[in-house]
Amino acid sequence: MERVLESPEAARYEVVRLSAADSPGDVAARVGVAAGDRPLLLVMDDAQVSGDESLMALRVAAGGSPRARVLVTTLSGPAAGRPDPVDCLRFEPGAYTIDVPPLTVEEVAVLLAALAGGHVRQATADALHAATGGNPRLLHDFLVGRRLTERLTRGAAGWEFQCATEWQPPMDPSAATPHLVKATWDAWAALAFDRAFELCKAAAWCGEGHTVSVPLAHLLLLRGRGRDSMSFLDSLPEGVVESTPHLALARAVNLACGQGRPEAAAEFLLRAAVAAGPAQRPLLLAYRAWIMALSGRSADDVGAITRTDRETALFVHAAQAMARLRTRPDEAVFHLRRALALTAGGTESGPPWLAAHLTAYLIDALLLAGRAGEATLLAAGFHGGEPASGWDVAVAMSMVAA
């Protein structure tokens, strides 16, 4: 729109900028003041949010002024979420419609490369495209307004966002970035961990570290950066980790697997469970039982834990499976299959990497139980790298455990 208004053709007109919030009286008054010898060019940006009366006033003003022209921009198509309110204007005599599609991932990558001065990681371009939907205004807001270009650093695979390993306090609520936060959680739930990690880093620099703390803590751990994960968890406000189950789980896994201190992990979860309310206590105790069984240590009677929700039941079954893996593999198979069924509840049923972790152990349990056919069938798709199969996650978790 601005390019049109800067053109020599537009210079022949008296430009009248109208707002989508203008009332019919406002439209008539502005047009009346601007009326003169030159023809009028009536301009309205984001016309899709205007009311019916304002649109009708715009049409009347254009029809009442000789040689007047109208230029409106609107959001249409699936992104609008409803029929375009200004669609009626498309069928006026002499009307022209120009469709400007959003930027593609490839175009975002080219733009980033030009700004960074070199090749940009595909995951970084994917992350910005997911957060903006290819909308140039949102992209400009992130890269320039929020200065994300200053957070780019050169990595082995190209330019990427710097990692924030300390919690950044939230910004003014008016500066929130819901598109960025939603894209982060969507990528986390979809096992798109490279994209999710880049989105987490961008969100942290935009003051949204508090809203993406869970995926960021886990992703740092999955990338073998346990020290950074612990540093980030330690920087969170007091009590946040203990009162947020998936953050408590991240700290426990870090202690038990990343640092080889399962007793410290069990003690931490026990303290958190004692301090927690009745709603969260069973879940934290289930985490503890699973951590202890995973490290070959006996826990209290796991079956006595009250299964108040889907995730608590999941970790109870996971703990029972780990305790029986070597001595009663058939029983372990049953509990692992039940736990995997419970992971279907999404992020409310454990972190997304958990299903891949359990599947890897299920293959082992089937082999130990002498059920090689089932193990081979399960492993064929899992190792084959099918989309969201989680094989890379299982490998990452095995590295953490090592």
Side-chain angles (χ1 to χ4, degrees):
M1 184 183 74
E2 295 299 333
R3 292 291 293 273
V4 170
L5 295 179
E6 293 169 359
S7 67
E9 292 84 356
R12 298 186 292 107
Y13 291 85
E14 184 69 30
V15 177
V16 182
R17 289 182 178 267
L18 302 171
S19 168
D22 286 344
S23 67
D26 294 332
V27 173
R30 292 189 184 187
V31 171
V33 169
D37 296 334
R38 292 199 300 170
L40 300 179
L41 178 58
L42 310 180
V43 179
M44 181 182 289
D45 192 17
D46 288 329
Q48 76 276 3
V49 300
S50 62
D52 181 69
E53 292 184 347
S54 297
L55 281 179
M56 293 307 98
L58 174 65
R59 184 171 184 265
V60 169
S65 179
R67 299 178 297 158
R69 295 290 183 269
V70 174
L71 173 62
V72 299
T73 67
T74 182
L75 180 67
S76 62
R82 60 191 177 101
D84 187 356
V86 299
D87 191 59
C88 54
L89 298 180
R90 296 174 187 268
F91 300 96
E92 292 288 279
Y96 291 90
T97 299
I98 300 176
D99 180 41
V100 183
L103 298 176
T104 64
V105 175
E106 291 74 18
E107 289 168 336
V108 170
V110 170
L111 177 60
L112 276 175
L115 291 172
H119 175 72
V120 175
R121 284 190 64 200
Q122 186 62 45
T124 307
D126 288 344
L128 277 175
H129 186 267
T132 63
N135 183 305
R137 181 184 62 79
L138 287 176
L139 194 62
H140 183 274
D141 177 48
F142 284 131
L143 295 176
V144 180
R146 300 174 189 272
R147 303 168 68 178
L148 282 183
T149 50
E150 299 177 14
R151 303 299 183 182
L152 289 169
T153 184
R154 190 191 295 274
W159 289 87
E160 61 185 280
F161 290 124
Q162 300 170 7
C163 188
T165 56
E166 291 190 359
W167 177 74
Q168 306 287 325
M171 295 181 176
D172 187 323
S174 62
T177 55
H179 297 285
L180 180 55
V181 173
K182 182 180 183 303
T184 303
W185 281 95
D186 287 348
W188 173 236
L191 297 178
F193 289 162
D194 283 346
R195 183 169 80 243
F197 190 45
E198 290 301 294
L199 285 163
C200 278
K201 292 188 286 185
W205 292 121
C206 288
E208 296 282 10
H210 59 299
T211 60
V212 299
S213 57
V214 167
L216 179 55
H218 284 263
L219 287 167
L220 284 168
L221 187 59
L222 287 172
R223 274 158 176 69
R225 300 175 59 172
R227 184 174 299 176
D228 288 339
S229 178
M230 194 64 81
S231 174
F232 175 71
L233 290 169
D234 288 341
S235 72
L236 291 169
E238 186 177 355
V240 169
V241 174
E242 292 80 359
S243 61
T244 308
H246 285 187
L247 289 178
L249 180 62
R251 181 185 286 279
V253 172
N254 206 329
L255 287 169
C257 300
Q259 298 183 14
R261 300 167 57 202
E263 293 87 354
E267 183 181 349
F268 161 71
L269 289 171
L270 184 59
R271 288 199 310 269
V274 170
Q280 285 189 357
R281 186 172 297 123
L283 177 58
L284 293 169
L285 290 175
Y287 287 167
R288 180 176 179 270
W290 172 70
I291 286 285
M292 294 183 71
L294 191 64
S295 57
R297 289 159 176 78
S298 61
D300 299 331
D301 186 9
V302 179
I305 297 175
T306 305
R307 305 177 192 187
T308 54
D309 56 69
R310 190 184 189 99
E311 187 174 0
T312 301
L314 187 163
F315 274 93
V316 166
H317 282 291
Q320 291 173 321
M322 293 300 100
R324 293 165 172 78
L325 184 63
R326 301 300 172 187
T327 57
R328 299 171 62 188
D330 276 321
E331 279 289 303
V333 168
F334 167 80
H335 287 293
L336 284 166
R337 288 201 183 281
R338 180 60 188 146
L340 280 166
L342 290 167
T343 62
T347 53
E348 297 300 316
S349 297
W353 54 259
L354 188 61
H357 173 74
L358 294 172
T359 301
Y361 272 103
L362 177 56
I363 294 170
D364 289 344
L366 287 167
L367 290 172
L368 289 171
R371 296 156 66 174
E374 290 179 60
T376 302
L377 184 63
L378 181 61
F382 189 59
H383 291 200
E386 293 180 354
S389 70
W391 174 241
D392 54 341
V393 183
V395 171
M397 282 304 298
S398 67
M399 292 176 65
V400 169

